[in-house]
Coordinates of all heavy atoms in Angstrom, one line a residue:
M1383 N 0.8 -1.2 0.0 CA 0.0 0.0 0.0 C 0.9 1.3 0.0 O 0.6 2.2 -0.7 CB -0.9 0.0 1.2 CG -1.8 1.2 1.4 SD -2.9 1.4 0.1 CE -3.7 2.9 0.5
H1384 N 1.9 1.2 0.8 CA 2.8 2.4 0.9 C 3.5 2.7 -0.5 O 3.7 3.9 -0.8 CB 3.8 2.3 2.0 CG 3.2 2.4 3.3 ND1 2.6 1.4 4.0 CD2 3.0 3.5 4.1 CE1 2.1 1.8 5.1 NE2 2.3 3.1 5.2
W1385 N 3.8 1.7 -1.2 CA 4.5 1.9 -2.5 C 3.5 2.5 -3.5 O 3.9 3.3 -4.3 CB 5.0 0.5 -3.1 CG 6.3 0.2 -2.4 CD1 6.5 -0.6 -1.3 CD2 7.6 0.8 -2.6 NE1 7.8 -0.6 -0.9 CE2 8.5 0.3 -1.7 CE3 8.0 1.8 -3.5 CZ2 9.9 0.7 -1.6 CZ3 9.4 2.2 -3.4 CH2 10.2 1.6 -2.5
I1386 N 2.3 2.0 -3.5 CA 1.2 2.6 -4.4 C 1.0 4.1 -4.1 O 1.0 4.9 -4.9 CB -0.1 1.8 -4.3 CG1 0.1 0.4 -4.8 CG2 -1.2 2.5 -5.0 CD1 -1.0 -0.6 -4.5
L1387 N 0.9 4.4 -2.8 CA 0.8 5.8 -2.3 C 2.0 6.6 -2.8 O 1.8 7.7 -3.2 CB 0.6 5.8 -0.8 CG 0.2 7.2 -0.2 CD1 -1.0 7.8 -0.8 CD2 0.1 7.0 1.3
L1388 N 3.2 6.1 -2.6 CA 4.4 6.8 -3.0 C 4.4 7.1 -4.5 O 4.7 8.2 -4.9 CB 5.6 6.0 -2.7 CG 7.0 6.7 -3.0 CD1 7.1 8.0 -2.2 CD2 8.1 5.7 -2.6
I1389 N 4.0 6.1 -5.3 CA 4.0 6.3 -6.8 C 2.9 7.3 -7.2 O 3.1 8.2 -8.0 CB 3.8 5.0 -7.5 CG1 5.1 4.2 -7.3 CG2 3.5 5.2 -9.0 CD1 5.0 2.7 -7.7
L1390 N 1.7 7.2 -6.6 CA 0.6 8.2 -6.8 C 1.0 9.6 -6.4 O 0.8 10.6 -7.1 CB -0.6 7.7 -6.1 CG -1.3 6.5 -6.7 CD1 -2.5 6.1 -5.9 CD2 -1.7 6.7 -8.2
S1391 N 1.6 9.7 -5.2 CA 2.0 11.0 -4.8 C 3.2 11.6 -5.6 O 3.2 12.8 -5.9 CB 2.4 11.1 -3.3 OG 3.6 10.3 -3.0
G1392 N 4.0 10.8 -6.1 CA 5.1 11.2 -7.1 C 4.5 11.7 -8.4 O 4.9 12.7 -8.9
S1393 N 3.4 11.0 -8.8 CA 2.7 11.4 -10.0 C 2.0 12.8 -9.8 O 1.9 13.5 -10.8 CB 1.7 10.3 -10.4 OG 2.4 9.1 -10.7
L1394 N 1.5 13.0 -8.6 CA 0.9 14.3 -8.4 C 1.9 15.5 -8.5 O 1.5 16.6 -8.7 CB 0.3 14.4 -7.0 CG -1.1 13.7 -6.8 CD1 -1.5 13.8 -5.3 CD2 -2.1 14.5 -7.7
E1395 N 3.2 15.2 -8.5 CA 4.2 16.2 -8.7 C 4.0 16.8 -10.1 O 4.1 18.0 -10.3 CB 5.6 15.7 -8.7 CG 6.2 15.8 -7.3 CD 7.7 15.6 -7.4 OE1 8.2 14.5 -7.4 OE2 8.5 16.6 -7.5
A1396 N 3.6 16.0 -11.1 CA 3.4 16.4 -12.5 C 2.2 17.4 -12.5 O 2.2 18.4 -13.3 CB 3.2 15.3 -13.4
V1397 N 1.2 17.1 -11.7 CA 0.0 17.9 -11.7 C 0.3 19.3 -11.2 O 0.0 20.3 -11.9 CB -1.1 17.3 -10.8 CG1 -2.3 18.2 -10.6 CG2 -1.6 15.9 -11.4
W1398 N 1.0 19.4 -10.1 CA 1.3 20.7 -9.6 C 2.3 21.4 -10.4 O 2.3 22.7 -10.5 CB 1.5 20.8 -8.1 CG 2.8 20.1 -7.5 CD1 2.8 18.9 -6.9 CD2 4.1 20.6 -7.5 NE1 4.1 18.6 -6.5 CE2 4.9 19.7 -6.8 CE3 4.7 21.8 -8.0 CZ2 6.3 19.8 -6.6 CZ3 6.1 21.9 -7.8 CH2 6.8 21.0 -7.1
A1399 N 3.3 20.7 -11.0 CA 4.3 21.4 -11.8 C 3.6 22.0 -13.0 O 4.0 23.1 -13.4 CB 5.4 20.3 -12.2
H1400 N 2.7 21.3 -13.7 CA 2.0 21.9 -14.8 C 1.1 23.0 -14.4 O 1.0 24.0 -15.2 CB 1.3 20.8 -15.6 CG 2.2 20.0 -16.5 ND1 2.5 20.3 -17.8 CD2 2.9 18.9 -16.2 CE1 3.3 19.5 -18.3 NE2 3.6 18.5 -17.4
A1401 N 0.5 22.9 -13.3 CA -0.4 24.1 -12.9 C 0.5 25.3 -12.6 O 0.1 26.4 -12.7 CB -1.2 23.6 -11.7
L1402 N 1.7 25.1 -12.1 CA 2.6 26.2 -11.8 C 3.0 27.0 -13.0 O 3.2 28.2 -12.8 CB 3.9 25.6 -11.2 CG 4.9 26.5 -10.6 CD1 4.4 27.4 -9.5 CD2 6.2 25.8 -10.1
S1403 N 2.9 26.4 -14.2 CA 3.2 27.2 -15.4 C 2.3 28.4 -15.6 O 2.7 29.3 -16.3 CB 3.3 26.3 -16.6 OG 2.0 25.8 -16.9
D1404 N 1.1 28.4 -15.1 CA 0.2 29.5 -15.2 C -0.6 29.7 -13.9 O -1.8 29.6 -13.8 CB -0.8 29.2 -16.4 CG -1.7 30.4 -16.7 OD1 -1.3 31.5 -16.3 OD2 -2.7 30.2 -17.3
I1405 N 0.2 29.9 -12.9 CA -0.4 29.9 -11.5 C -1.2 31.2 -11.2 O -2.0 31.2 -10.3 CB 0.8 29.9 -10.4 CG1 0.2 29.5 -9.1 CG2 1.6 31.2 -10.4 CD1 0.9 28.5 -8.3
L1406 N -1.2 32.1 -12.1 CA -2.0 33.3 -11.9 C -3.5 33.0 -12.3 O -4.4 33.8 -11.9 CB -1.5 34.5 -12.7 CG -0.1 35.0 -12.2 CD1 0.3 36.2 -13.1 CD2 -0.1 35.4 -10.8
D1407 N -3.7 32.0 -13.0 CA -5.1 31.6 -13.3 C -5.6 30.9 -12.1 O -5.0 30.0 -11.5 CB -5.0 30.5 -14.5 CG -6.4 29.9 -14.7 OD1 -7.3 30.7 -15.0 OD2 -6.5 28.7 -14.6
P1408 N -6.8 31.3 -11.6 CA -7.4 30.7 -10.4 C -7.5 29.2 -10.3 O -7.2 28.6 -9.3 CB -8.7 31.4 -10.2 CG -8.6 32.7 -11.0 CD -7.7 32.4 -12.1
V1409 N -7.9 28.6 -11.4 CA -8.1 27.2 -11.5 C -6.7 26.5 -11.3 O -6.6 25.6 -10.6 CB -8.8 26.7 -12.8 CG1 -8.8 25.2 -13.0 CG2 -10.2 27.3 -12.9
N1410 N -5.7 27.1 -12.0 CA -4.4 26.5 -11.9 C -3.8 26.7 -10.5 O -3.1 25.8 -10.0 CB -3.4 27.1 -12.9 CG -3.6 26.5 -14.3 OD1 -4.2 25.4 -14.4 ND2 -3.1 27.2 -15.3
A1411 N -4.1 27.8 -9.9 CA -3.6 28.1 -8.5 C -4.2 27.0 -7.6 O -3.5 26.5 -6.7 CB -4.0 29.5 -8.1
I1412 N -5.5 26.8 -7.7 CA -6.2 25.7 -6.8 C -5.6 24.4 -7.1 O -5.3 23.6 -6.2 CB -7.7 25.8 -7.0 CG1 -8.2 27.1 -6.4 CG2 -8.4 24.6 -6.3 CD1 -9.6 27.4 -6.7
T1413 N -5.4 24.1 -8.4 CA -4.9 22.8 -8.8 C -3.5 22.6 -8.3 O -3.1 21.5 -7.8 CB -4.8 22.6 -10.3 OG1 -6.2 22.8 -10.9 CG2 -4.3 21.3 -10.8
F1414 N -2.7 23.7 -8.3 CA -1.3 23.7 -7.8 C -1.3 23.3 -6.3 O -0.6 22.4 -5.8 CB -0.6 25.0 -8.0 CG 0.6 25.1 -7.3 CD1 1.8 24.6 -7.7 CD2 0.7 25.9 -6.1 CE1 3.0 24.7 -7.0 CE2 1.9 26.0 -5.4 CZ 3.0 25.4 -5.8
L1415 N -2.2 24.0 -5.5 CA -2.2 23.9 -4.1 C -2.7 22.5 -3.7 O -2.1 21.8 -2.8 CB -3.1 24.9 -3.4 CG -2.5 26.3 -3.5 CD1 -3.6 27.3 -3.0 CD2 -1.2 26.5 -2.7
L1416 N -3.8 22.0 -4.4 CA -4.2 20.6 -4.1 C -3.2 19.6 -4.5 O -3.0 18.6 -3.7 CB -5.6 20.4 -4.8 CG -6.8 21.2 -4.2 CD1 -8.0 21.0 -5.1 CD2 -7.0 20.9 -2.8
G1417 N -2.7 19.7 -5.7 CA -1.6 18.7 -6.1 C -0.4 18.7 -5.2 O 0.1 17.6 -4.8
L1418 N 0.0 19.9 -4.8 CA 1.2 19.9 -3.9 C 0.9 19.3 -2.6 O 1.7 18.5 -2.0 CB 1.6 21.4 -3.7 CG 2.8 21.6 -2.8 CD1 4.1 20.9 -3.4 CD2 3.1 23.1 -2.7
A1419 N -0.3 19.7 -2.0 CA -0.6 19.1 -0.7 C -0.8 17.6 -0.8 O -0.3 16.9 0.1 CB -2.0 19.7 -0.2
G1420 N -1.5 17.1 -1.8 CA -1.6 15.6 -2.0 C -0.3 14.9 -2.2 O -0.1 13.9 -1.6
S1421 N 0.6 15.5 -2.9 CA 1.9 14.9 -3.2 C 2.7 14.8 -2.0 O 3.3 13.8 -1.7 CB 2.6 15.8 -4.3 OG 3.8 15.3 -4.6
V1422 N 2.8 15.9 -1.2 CA 3.6 15.9 0.0 C 3.0 15.0 1.1 O 3.7 14.3 1.8 CB 3.8 17.3 0.5 CG1 4.5 17.4 1.8 CG2 4.7 18.1 -0.5
W1423 N 1.7 15.0 1.2 CA 1.0 14.2 2.1 C 1.3 12.7 1.8 O 1.6 11.9 2.7 CB -0.5 14.4 2.1 CG -1.3 13.5 3.0 CD1 -1.5 13.7 4.4 CD2 -1.9 12.3 2.7 NE1 -2.2 12.6 4.9 CE2 -2.5 11.8 3.9 CE3 -2.0 11.6 1.5 CZ2 -3.2 10.5 3.9 CZ3 -2.7 10.4 1.5 CH2 -3.3 9.9 2.7
G1424 N 1.2 12.3 0.5 CA 1.5 11.0 0.2 C 2.9 10.5 0.5 O 3.2 9.4 0.9
L1425 N 3.8 11.4 0.2 CA 5.2 11.2 0.5 C 5.4 11.0 2.0 O 6.0 10.0 2.5 CB 6.1 12.3 0.1 CG 7.6 12.2 0.5 CD1 8.3 11.0 -0.1 CD2 8.3 13.5 0.1
Q1426 N 4.8 11.8 2.8 CA 4.9 11.7 4.3 C 4.3 10.4 4.8 O 4.9 9.7 5.6 CB 4.2 12.9 4.9 CG 4.3 13.0 6.4 CD 3.2 12.2 7.1 OE1 2.1 12.1 6.7 NE2 3.5 11.8 8.4
R1427 N 3.2 10.0 4.2 CA 2.6 8.7 4.7 C 3.4 7.5 4.2 O 3.6 6.6 5.0 CB 1.2 8.6 4.1 CG 0.2 9.6 4.5 CD -0.1 9.6 6.0 NE -0.6 8.3 6.4 CZ -0.7 8.0 7.6 NH1 -0.3 8.7 8.6 NH2 -1.2 6.8 7.9
A1428 N 4.0 7.6 3.0 CA 4.8 6.5 2.6 C 6.1 6.3 3.4 O 6.6 5.2 3.6 CB 5.2 6.7 1.1
M1429 N 6.6 7.4 3.9 CA 7.8 7.4 4.7 C 7.6 6.7 6.0 O 8.6 6.5 6.7 CB 8.4 8.8 4.8 CG 9.1 9.3 3.5 SD 10.0 10.8 3.7 CE 9.1 11.8 4.8
K1430 N 6.4 6.4 6.4 CA 6.2 5.7 7.7 C 6.7 4.3 7.5 O 7.0 3.6 8.5 CB 4.7 5.7 8.0 CG 4.3 7.2 8.4 CD 3.0 7.2 9.2 CE 2.6 8.6 9.6 NZ 3.5 9.1 10.6
K1431 N 6.7 3.7 6.3 CA 7.2 2.4 6.1 C 8.4 2.3 5.1 O 9.1 1.2 5.1 CB 6.1 1.5 5.5 CG 4.9 1.3 6.4 CD 5.2 0.5 7.5 CE 4.0 0.3 8.4 NZ 4.3 -0.4 9.6
I1432 N 8.6 3.3 4.3 CA 9.7 3.3 3.4 C 10.8 4.3 3.9 O 10.4 5.4 4.2 CB 9.2 3.7 2.0 CG1 8.1 2.7 1.5 CG2 10.4 3.7 1.0 CD1 7.4 3.1 0.3
P1433 N 12.1 3.9 3.9 CA 13.1 4.8 4.4 C 13.1 6.1 3.6 O 12.9 6.1 2.4 CB 14.4 4.0 4.2 CG 14.0 2.6 4.2 CD 12.6 2.5 3.6
L1434 N 13.5 7.2 4.3 CA 13.5 8.5 3.8 C 14.2 8.6 2.5 O 13.7 9.1 1.5 CB 14.1 9.5 4.8 CG 14.4 10.9 4.3 CD1 13.2 11.7 4.0 CD2 15.3 11.6 5.3
G1435 N 15.5 8.2 2.4 CA 16.3 8.3 1.2 C 15.7 7.6 0.0 O 15.6 8.2 -1.1
T1436 N 15.2 6.4 0.2 CA 14.6 5.7 -0.8 C 13.2 6.3 -1.3 O 13.0 6.5 -2.4 CB 14.3 4.2 -0.3 OG1 15.5 3.6 0.0 CG2 13.7 3.4 -1.5
A1437 N 12.4 6.6 -0.3 CA 11.1 7.2 -0.6 C 11.3 8.5 -1.4 O 10.6 8.7 -2.4 CB 10.3 7.4 0.7
Y1438 N 12.1 9.4 -0.9 CA 12.3 10.7 -1.5 C 12.8 10.6 -3.0 O 12.3 11.2 -3.9 CB 13.1 11.6 -0.7 CG 13.2 13.0 -1.3 CD1 12.2 13.9 -1.2 CD2 14.4 13.5 -1.9 CE1 12.2 15.2 -1.8 CE2 14.5 14.7 -2.5 CZ 13.4 15.6 -2.4 OH 13.4 16.8 -2.9
A1439 N 13.8 9.7 -3.1 CA 14.4 9.6 -4.4 C 13.4 9.0 -5.4 O 13.3 9.4 -6.6 CB 15.6 8.6 -4.4
I1440 N 12.6 8.1 -5.0 CA 11.6 7.5 -5.9 C 10.5 8.5 -6.2 O 10.0 8.6 -7.3 CB 11.0 6.2 -5.2 CG1 12.1 5.1 -5.3 CG2 9.7 5.7 -6.0 CD1 11.8 3.8 -4.6
W1441 N 10.1 9.2 -5.2 CA 9.0 10.3 -5.3 C 9.5 11.3 -6.4 O 8.7 11.6 -7.3 CB 8.8 10.9 -4.0 CG 7.8 12.0 -3.9 CD1 6.4 11.9 -3.9 CD2 8.1 13.4 -3.7 NE1 5.8 13.1 -3.7 CE2 6.8 14.1 -3.6 CE3 9.2 14.1 -3.5 CZ2 6.7 15.5 -3.4 CZ3 9.1 15.5 -3.3 CH2 7.9 16.1 -3.2
V1442 N 10.7 11.7 -6.3 CA 11.3 12.7 -7.2 C 11.4 12.1 -8.6 O 11.1 12.7 -9.6 CB 12.6 13.3 -6.7 CG1 13.3 14.1 -7.9 CG2 12.5 14.1 -5.5
G1443 N 11.9 10.8 -8.7 CA 12.1 10.2 -10.0 C 10.8 10.0 -10.7 O 10.7 10.2 -11.9
V1444 N 9.8 9.5 -9.9 CA 8.4 9.3 -10.6 C 7.9 10.7 -11.0 O 7.4 10.8 -12.1 CB 7.5 8.6 -9.5 CG1 6.0 8.7 -10.0 CG2 7.9 7.2 -9.3
G1445 N 8.0 11.7 -10.2 CA 7.5 13.0 -10.5 C 8.2 13.6 -11.8 O 7.5 14.1 -12.7
A1446 N 9.5 13.4 -11.8 CA 10.2 13.9 -13.0 C 9.8 13.2 -14.3 O 9.7 13.8 -15.3 CB 11.7 13.8 -12.7
T1447 N 9.7 11.9 -14.1 CA 9.4 11.0 -15.3 C 7.9 11.4 -15.8 O 7.8 11.6 -17.0 CB 9.4 9.6 -14.9 OG1 10.8 9.3 -14.5 CG2 9.0 8.7 -16.1
V1448 N 7.0 11.4 -14.9 CA 5.6 11.7 -15.3 C 5.5 13.1 -15.9 O 4.8 13.4 -16.9 CB 4.6 11.5 -14.1 CG1 3.2 12.0 -14.5 CG2 4.6 10.1 -13.7
T1449 N 6.2 14.1 -15.3 CA 6.2 15.5 -15.8 C 6.8 15.5 -17.2 O 6.3 16.2 -18.1 CB 7.0 16.4 -14.8 OG1 6.3 16.3 -13.6 CG2 7.0 17.8 -15.4
A1450 N 7.9 14.8 -17.4 CA 8.6 14.8 -18.7 C 7.7 14.2 -19.8 O 7.5 14.7 -20.9 CB 9.9 14.2 -18.6
V1451 N 7.1 13.1 -19.5 CA 6.2 12.4 -20.4 C 4.9 13.2 -20.7 O 4.6 13.4 -21.9 CB 5.8 11.0 -19.9 CG1 4.7 10.4 -20.8 CG2 7.0 10.1 -19.9
W1452 N 4.4 13.9 -19.7 CA 3.2 14.8 -19.9 C 3.6 15.9 -20.8 O 2.9 16.3 -21.7 CB 2.7 15.2 -18.6 CG 1.5 16.1 -18.5 CD1 0.8 16.6 -19.6 CD2 0.7 16.4 -17.4 NE1 -0.3 17.3 -19.2 CE2 -0.3 17.2 -17.8 CE3 0.9 16.2 -16.0 CZ2 -1.3 17.7 -16.9 CZ3 0.0 16.7 -15.1 CH2 -1.1 17.5 -15.6
S1453 N 4.8 16.5 -20.6 CA 5.3 17.6 -21.4 C 5.5 17.2 -22.8 O 5.2 17.9 -23.8 CB 6.6 18.2 -20.8 OG 6.3 18.7 -19.6
A1454 N 6.0 16.0 -23.0 CA 6.1 15.5 -24.4 C 4.8 15.3 -25.1 O 4.6 15.6 -26.3 CB 6.9 14.2 -24.4
I1455 N 3.8 14.8 -24.4 CA 2.5 14.6 -25.0 C 1.9 16.0 -25.4 O 1.2 16.1 -26.4 CB 1.6 13.9 -24.0 CG1 2.0 12.4 -23.8 CG2 0.1 14.0 -24.4 CD1 1.4 11.7 -22.7
E1456 N 2.2 17.0 -24.6 CA 1.7 18.4 -24.9 C 2.6 19.1 -26.0 O 2.3 20.2 -26.3 CB 1.7 19.2 -23.6 CG 0.6 18.8 -22.6 CD 0.5 19.7 -21.5 OE1 1.4 20.4 -21.1 OE2 -0.6 19.7 -20.9
G1457 N 3.6 18.4 -26.5 CA 4.3 19.0 -27.6 C 5.7 19.4 -27.4 O 6.4 19.9 -28.3
E1458 N 6.2 19.3 -26.1 CA 7.6 19.7 -25.8 C 8.5 18.8 -26.6 O 8.3 17.6 -26.7 CB 7.9 19.6 -24.4 CG 9.3 20.0 -23.9 CD 9.4 19.9 -22.4 OE1 8.6 20.6 -21.7 OE2 10.4 19.3 -22.0
P1459 N 9.6 19.3 -27.2 CA 10.6 18.4 -27.9 C 11.1 17.3 -27.0 O 11.4 17.6 -25.9 CB 11.7 19.4 -28.3 CG 11.1 20.7 -28.3 CD 10.0 20.7 -27.3
F1460 N 11.1 16.1 -27.5 CA 11.4 14.9 -26.7 C 12.1 13.9 -27.6 O 11.6 13.0 -28.2 CB 10.1 14.3 -26.2 CG 10.2 13.6 -24.9 CD1 10.3 14.2 -23.7 CD2 10.2 12.2 -24.9 CE1 10.4 13.5 -22.5 CE2 10.3 11.4 -23.7 CZ 10.4 12.1 -22.5
G1461 N 13.5 14.2 -27.7 CA 14.3 13.3 -28.6 C 14.9 12.1 -27.9 O 14.6 11.9 -26.7
P1462 N 15.7 11.4 -28.5 CA 16.3 10.2 -28.0 C 17.1 10.4 -26.7 O 17.1 9.6 -25.8 CB 17.3 9.7 -29.1 CG 16.8 10.4 -30.4 CD 16.1 11.6 -30.0
A1463 N 17.8 11.6 -26.6 CA 18.6 11.8 -25.4 C 17.7 11.9 -24.2 O 18.0 11.4 -23.1 CB 19.4 13.1 -25.5
K1464 N 16.5 12.6 -24.3 CA 15.6 12.7 -23.2 C 15.0 11.4 -22.9 O 14.8 11.0 -21.7 CB 14.5 13.7 -23.5 CG 14.9 15.2 -23.3 CD 13.6 16.0 -23.4 CE 14.1 17.5 -23.3 NZ 12.9 18.4 -23.4
I1465 N 14.7 10.6 -23.9 CA 14.1 9.2 -23.6 C 15.2 8.4 -22.9 O 14.8 7.7 -21.9 CB 13.7 8.6 -25.0 CG1 12.5 9.3 -25.6 CG2 13.4 7.1 -24.7 CD1 12.2 8.9 -27.0
L1466 N 16.4 8.5 -23.3 CA 17.4 7.7 -22.6 C 17.6 8.2 -21.1 O 17.7 7.3 -20.2 CB 18.8 7.9 -23.3 CG 20.0 7.3 -22.6 CD1 19.9 5.8 -22.5 CD2 21.3 7.7 -23.3
C1467 N 17.6 9.5 -20.9 CA 17.7 10.0 -19.5 C 16.5 9.6 -18.6 O 16.7 9.2 -17.5 CB 17.9 11.5 -19.5 SG 19.5 11.9 -20.2
I1468 N 15.3 9.7 -19.2 CA 14.1 9.2 -18.4 C 14.2 7.7 -18.1 O 13.9 7.3 -17.0 CB 12.8 9.5 -19.2 CG1 12.6 11.0 -19.3 CG2 11.6 8.8 -18.6 CD1 12.4 11.8 -18.0
G1469 N 14.7 7.0 -19.1 CA 14.9 5.6 -18.8 C 15.9 5.3 -17.7 O 15.8 4.4 -16.9
L1470 N 17.0 6.1 -17.7 CA 18.0 6.0 -16.6 C 17.4 6.3 -15.2 O 17.7 5.7 -14.2 CB 19.2 6.9 -16.9 CG 20.1 6.4 -18.1 CD1 21.1 7.5 -18.4 CD2 20.7 5.1 -17.7
I1471 N 16.5 7.3 -15.2 CA 15.8 7.6 -13.9 C 15.0 6.5 -13.5 O 15.0 6.1 -12.3 CB 14.9 8.9 -14.1 CG1 15.8 10.2 -14.3 CG2 14.0 9.0 -12.9 CD1 14.9 11.4 -14.6
L1472 N 14.2 5.8 -14.4 CA 13.4 4.7 -14.1 C 14.3 3.5 -13.6 O 13.9 2.8 -12.6 CB 12.6 4.3 -15.2 CG 11.5 5.3 -15.6 CD1 10.7 4.8 -16.8 CD2 10.5 5.4 -14.4
V1473 N 15.4 3.3 -14.3 CA 16.3 2.2 -13.8 C 16.8 2.5 -12.4 O 16.9 1.6 -11.6 CB 17.5 2.1 -14.8 CG1 18.6 1.2 -14.2 CG2 17.0 1.5 -16.1
G1474 N 17.1 3.8 -12.1 CA 17.6 4.2 -10.8 C 16.5 3.9 -9.7 O 16.8 3.4 -8.6
V1475 N 15.3 4.3 -10.1 CA 14.1 4.0 -9.1 C 14.0 2.6 -8.8 O 13.8 2.2 -7.7 CB 12.8 4.7 -9.7 CG1 11.6 4.2 -8.9 CG2 12.9 6.2 -9.7
I1476 N 14.0 1.8 -9.9 CA 13.9 0.3 -9.7 C 15.1 -0.2 -8.9 O 14.9 -1.1 -8.0 CB 13.7 -0.4 -11.1 CG1 12.4 0.0 -11.7 CG2 13.9 -1.9 -10.9 CD1 12.3 -0.4 -13.2
G1477 N 16.3 0.3 -9.2 CA 17.5 -0.1 -8.5 C 17.4 0.2 -7.0 O 17.8 -0.6 -6.2
L1478 N 16.8 1.3 -6.7 CA 16.7 1.7 -5.3 C 15.8 0.7 -4.6 O 16.1 0.3 -3.4 CB 16.1 3.1 -5.2 CG 17.1 4.3 -5.4 CD1 16.3 5.6 -5.5 CD2 18.1 4.3 -4.3
E1479 N 14.7 0.3 -5.2 CA 13.8 -0.6 -4.5 C 14.5 -2.0 -4.4 O 14.4 -2.6 -3.4 CB 12.5 -0.8 -5.3 CG 11.6 -1.9 -4.9 CD 11.4 -2.1 -3.4 OE1 11.5 -1.2 -2.6 OE2 10.9 -3.2 -3.1
L1480 N 15.2 -2.5 -5.4 CA 15.8 -3.8 -5.4 C 17.0 -3.9 -4.5 O 17.3 -4.9 -3.9 CB 16.2 -4.2 -6.8 CG 15.1 -4.4 -7.8 CD1 15.7 -4.7 -9.2 CD2 14.1 -5.5 -7.4
S1481 N 17.6 -2.7 -4.2 CA 18.8 -2.7 -3.4 C 18.6 -2.4 -1.9 O 19.5 -2.5 -1.1 CB 19.8 -1.7 -3.9 OG 19.4 -0.4 -3.8
R1482 N 17.4 -2.0 -1.6 CA 17.1 -1.6 -0.2 C 16.9 -2.8 0.7 O 16.5 -3.9 0.3 CB 15.9 -0.7 -0.1 CG 14.6 -1.4 -0.2 CD 13.4 -0.3 0.0 NE 12.2 -1.0 -0.1 CZ 11.5 -1.4 1.0 NH1 12.0 -1.2 2.2 NH2 10.4 -2.0 0.9
S1483 N 17.2 -2.6 2.0 CA 17.1 -3.7 3.0 C 15.6 -3.8 3.2 O 14.8 -2.8 3.2 CB 17.7 -3.2 4.3 OG 17.3 -4.0 5.3
H1484 N 15.1 -5.0 3.4 CA 13.7 -5.3 3.6 C 13.4 -5.4 5.0 O 12.3 -6.0 5.4 CB 13.2 -6.5 2.8 CG 13.2 -6.1 1.3 ND1 12.2 -5.4 0.7 CD2 14.1 -6.4 0.3 CE1 12.4 -5.3 -0.6 NE2 13.6 -5.8 -0.8
A1485 N 14.3 -5.0 5.9 CA 14.0 -4.9 7.3 C 13.0 -3.9 7.6 O 12.9 -2.9 6.9 CB 15.3 -4.6 8.1
P1486 N 12.1 -4.1 8.6 CA 11.1 -3.1 8.9 C 11.7 -1.7 9.2 O 12.7 -1.7 9.9 CB 10.3 -3.6 10.1 CG 10.8 -5.0 10.3 CD 12.1 -5.2 9.5
H1487 N 11.1 -0.7 8.7 CA 11.5 0.7 8.9 C 11.0 1.1 10.3 O 9.9 1.0 10.6 CB 11.0 1.6 7.8 CG 11.2 3.0 8.1 ND1 12.5 3.5 8.1 CD2 10.4 4.1 8.4 CE1 12.4 4.9 8.3 NE2 11.2 5.2 8.5
E1488 N 12.0 1.5 11.1 CA 11.6 2.0 12.4 C 11.8 3.5 12.5 O 12.7 4.1 12.1 CB 12.4 1.3 13.5 CG 12.2 -0.2 13.5 CD 12.7 -0.9 14.8 OE1 13.0 -0.1 15.8 OE2 12.9 -2.0 14.7
D1489 N 10.8 4.1 13.2 CA 10.8 5.6 13.4 C 11.6 5.8 14.6 O 11.2 5.4 15.7 CB 9.4 6.1 13.5 CG 9.3 7.6 13.7 OD1 10.3 8.2 13.6 OD2 8.2 8.1 13.9
P1490 N 12.8 6.5 14.5 CA 13.6 6.8 15.7 C 12.8 7.6 16.8 O 13.1 7.5 18.0 CB 14.8 7.7 15.2 CG 14.7 7.5 13.7 CD 13.4 7.1 13.3
A1491 N 11.8 8.4 16.4 CA 11.1 9.2 17.4 C 10.2 8.2 18.2 O 9.9 8.6 19.4 CB 10.2 10.2 16.6
S1492 N 9.8 7.0 17.7 CA 9.0 6.2 18.5 C 9.8 5.4 19.6 O 9.2 4.8 20.4 CB 8.3 5.1 17.6 OG 9.3 4.3 17.0
E1493 N 11.1 5.5 19.6 CA 11.9 4.9 20.6 C 12.0 5.6 21.9 O 12.4 5.1 22.9 CB 13.3 4.6 20.1 CG 13.4 3.6 18.9 CD 14.8 3.5 18.4 OE1 15.7 4.0 19.0 OE2 14.9 2.9 17.3
A1494 N 11.6 6.9 21.9 CA 11.7 7.7 23.1 C 10.6 7.4 24.1 O 9.7 6.8 23.9 CB 11.6 9.2 22.7

């Protein structure tokens, strides 16, 4: 469940990033605020079970990938170099998951 939430909250980065491009429009301003709040909330919830470094890197990687693909769909130039780099981000995200320890994540604050 935490992984699904992390991927969804990373994807919300693309929503608020695109709304940011025209933030003076009231609809975009509201979309930005809701997307940002949902994205950060999802990251915070996922970090209860996924270590900070792994969760944050995956959140950013997913957000960057979805934003780049969305921009390409909207007509931004998207050549082979960008495709390769997005692929490398995805490989890094998968590598982070495969290389992490599967020991339960403990919150240092809960030990007090």
